[in-house]
Amino acid sequence: MALTVNTNVGALNAASAASKTNRGIEVSMSRLASGLRINSGSDDAAGAGIAARLKANLVGTQQAIRNVADGIAYAKTGEGALAEMVNVVARMKELYTQTATGTLSSADTANITLELGSLSTSLSSIVSSTTWAGAAFADITVTVDAAGTTQAVTGSLVAAPTVSSLATADTALTTLATARATLGGEINALNSLANNLSNYAANLGAAVGTIEDADFAAETTNLVKMQVLQQAATAMLAQANGQKQGVLQLLQG
């Protein structure tokens, strides 16, 4: 093998190896510092694209969960108003039943009439004062997933019933009971959808983590390996440079 000075192949190879190990150390340190396996598209181009799509789905699903939560709160608010209307109508039915007895004086009957009037006003007040974010209650649809699937919320608040007799009180109670049952079923459906969306979001998050998260055990091991290789490459570079000193011995005779 020729003894040359201008081209130090050993030093070039050692410098190349040192450069590669330096890049490896930088990658490992970046991953350990951020906790992410993918810190740029060059780390895993395909993985970065998949993770981006999954995170977009996750964000949409999380918003859908909030939409469902709002829908549940909306339905529960309406159901609470209906429950109070049932209480009012039940009291009115009680009073109409009381007036059917022949033991009341005219003063008693007058007092019952006054209370019935107040209760009738109360029914109208419940309907007009029960609002959601300042808007009157109405049947709505709630977007329950990122694909745009919707769940209806109907029977949220019926009109204030006119109760003028025992028979109309019974009719009003039936109407209110139907509206409450309808809302109750819809609340249960929304709760089920919320549970399903929460599970879906958890699985999406786990999938993103599998792609993006750094394996600290593997990265720590890789960092130590690269540091050892870096030290070895530096030592070999020094050795390669030292070998050329033999040329001086030839020149010195």
Side-chain angles (χ1 to χ4, degrees), residues 224-242:
V224 172
K225 181 185 76 173
M226 290 296 177
Q227 288 173 333
V228 172
L229 289 174
Q230 183 187 47
Q231 293 172 14
T234 301
M236 292 305 98
L237 181 59
Q239 289 289 330
N241 289 331

Side-chain angles (χ1 to χ4, degrees), residues 53-213:
R53 291 196 302 272
L54 290 176
K55 284 192 286 189
N57 288 340
L58 178 58
V59 170
T61 301
Q62 289 171 336
Q63 181 58 55
I65 292 172
R66 292 191 288 272
N67 289 352
V68 173
D70 287 343
I72 291 171
Y74 185 93
K76 284 185 174 180
T77 301
E79 199 273 337
L82 290 173
E84 186 55 35
M85 292 171 73
V86 167
N87 292 335
V88 172
V89 174
R91 174 57 180 164
M92 295 178 78
K93 178 178 178 178
E94 179 183 2
L95 291 174
Y96 279 117
T97 301
Q98 186 179 8
T99 58
T101 182
T103 61
L104 299 178
S105 66
S106 58
D108 293 332
T109 301
N111 289 333
I112 290 175
T113 300
L114 286 174
E115 185 175 354
L116 285 169
S118 296
L119 292 171
S120 180
T121 301
S122 179
L123 286 174
S124 299
S125 177
I126 291 172
V127 173
S128 62
S129 63
T130 303
T131 61
W132 179 266
F137 265 73
D139 295 344
I140 64 168
T141 55
V142 179
T143 300
V144 297
D145 63 22
T149 304
T150 59
Q151 169 68 37
V153 177
T154 60
S156 53
L157 203 61
V158 300
T162 300
V163 181
S164 58
S165 65
L166 192 57
T168 55
D170 287 333
T171 300
L173 287 171
T174 299
T175 301
L176 292 170
T178 299
R180 288 191 68 190
T182 300
L183 274 175
E186 290 162 354
I187 290 170
N188 289 336
L190 287 168
N191 280 323
S192 296
L193 289 167
N195 292 336
N196 182 61
L197 287 170
S198 294
N199 291 333
Y200 180 52
N203 291 329
L204 281 175
V208 172
T210 299
I211 296 170
E212 284 195 333
D213 290 352

